Amino acid sequence: MSNNWGRWGADDEAGALNLVTTGVTRRAAGLVATGQTLSLAQPLGPKTPAPGHRQQPSRFMNRDAGDYALGARTPGGFKFAEDTVQFATHSGTHVDALSHAWSGDELYNGHSSALTRSTQGAQRCGAEKLAPVATRGILVDLVRASGGPLAPQTAVGPKELERGISEAGVSVEPGDAVLVRTGWWESKGSSDSYFADEPGINEEAARWLASRDVALVGADNYAVEQQSAEPGFPAHLVLLHQFGVPLIENLDLAELAEALSVLDRSTFFLLFAPIPLVGSTGTPVTPVAIL
């Protein structure tokens, strides 16, 4: 299969999330053993690092304690605080919508790229079309398999993906969410080098994952895929554009890896519920693992 265009109809904008059927969710729920819940998101705030081409997150207080110090009314003694936050939708832990990347003049499933405009956002394949799902997550722990964080520009191919799944008898199945721990966030998250030369999946790995009908792919790095001297983002084009697989970027997988290691597992129940930002090409998400 060269792509998923037309697989779920000419109007489809949800892509591979369609693979998470009720049966897939029920089977995944059976993985819950201890009931422990873990957030896989990085903190998001004014100190969240951002690459040079994106705006740094910011916060503005609409009402705070200073207003009352200056004499603001307190009906019945009631006081409150409110704020406004501003950030690029591809900040912190987020998911790329299917309108984020394309080649030629068409988005995923043949939708016109001309419908992604500055005045109206993405009129097709926007973040609001990313359905919330609950499915089986598979952690590909390359830190554990390699004995430490991967070196800059390390390519992760199919063999590395298979090697990083430590649980015996586990293979990637339709509807799965595959999350790759490279150690990049743990080793580079506090430095400017986080946004350059990251290790990650290559095009071959992207095609390997797509051929196994994954619903989601994520990683603990800035762009999921390997960054090297070669131009472009081939894994983005394979997964987002050709197969409609959303990408979760900037995950924090260290705590999950530790908990799964204790249980001698690679699989877990994953809750994925992105904010439905209408017309956006990406949106914040806090994936939750339930063990």
Side-chain angles (χ1 to χ4, degrees), residues 129-181:
K129 303 300 173 60
L130 297 173
V133 297
T135 190
R136 184 175 76 156
I138 298 179
L139 179 66
V140 178
D141 192 350
L142 297 175
V143 175
R144 181 180 181 186
S146 303
L150 299 186
Q153 299 191 4
T154 298
V156 175
K159 290 182 179 180
E160 288 75 26
L161 291 176
E162 291 182 309
R163 184 165 58 92
I165 301 173
S166 63
E167 186 175 346
V170 171
S171 58
V172 178
E173 298 178 359
D176 282 342
V178 176
L179 307 184
V180 182
R181 182 189 180 207

Side-chain angles (χ1 to χ4, degrees), residues 26-34 135-137 167 265 267-270 290-291:
R26 287 197 302 271
R27 287 194 297 273
L31 292 169
V32 176
T34 68
T135 190
R136 184 175 76 156
E167 186 175 346
R265 286 171 50 183
T267 56
F268 55 96
F269 190 38
L270 178 71
I290 305 178
L291 305 183

Side-chain angles (χ1 to χ4, degrees), residues 84-117:
T84 298
V85 294
Q86 188 176 56
F87 54 86
T89 56
H90 295 264
S91 298
T93 305
H94 67 275
V95 58
D96 290 346
L98 302 186
S99 56
H100 176 54
W102 69 94
S103 179
D105 297 322
E106 294 175 315
L107 306 177
Y108 161 76
N109 209 29
H111 296 293
S112 173
S113 62
L115 295 175
T116 302
R117 308 293 290 272

Side-chain angles (χ1 to χ4, degrees), residues 14-115:
L17 293 175
N18 286 293
L19 293 162
V20 184
T21 64
T22 55
V24 167
T25 298
R26 287 197 302 271
R27 287 194 297 273
L31 292 169
V32 176
T34 68
Q36 180 184 7
T37 58
L38 297 172
S39 168
L40 308 183
Q42 299 174 7
L44 179 61
K47 294 184 179 180
T48 297
H53 68 284
R54 288 184 183 148
Q55 181 177 335
Q56 189 82 19
S58 57
R59 177 190 300 110
F60 308 96
M61 297 303 298
N62 305 107
R63 176 63 68 95
D64 58 32
D67 293 292
Y68 300 108
L70 293 173
R73 295 178 63 249
T74 58
F78 177 74
K79 299 178 181 181
F80 67 97
E82 288 186 359
D83 60 324
T84 298
V85 294
Q86 188 176 56
F87 54 86
T89 56
H90 295 264
S91 298
T93 305
H94 67 275
V95 58
D96 290 346
L98 302 186
S99 56
H100 176 54
W102 69 94
S103 179
D105 297 322
E106 294 175 315
L107 306 177
Y108 161 76
N109 209 29
H111 296 293
S112 173
S113 62
L115 295 175

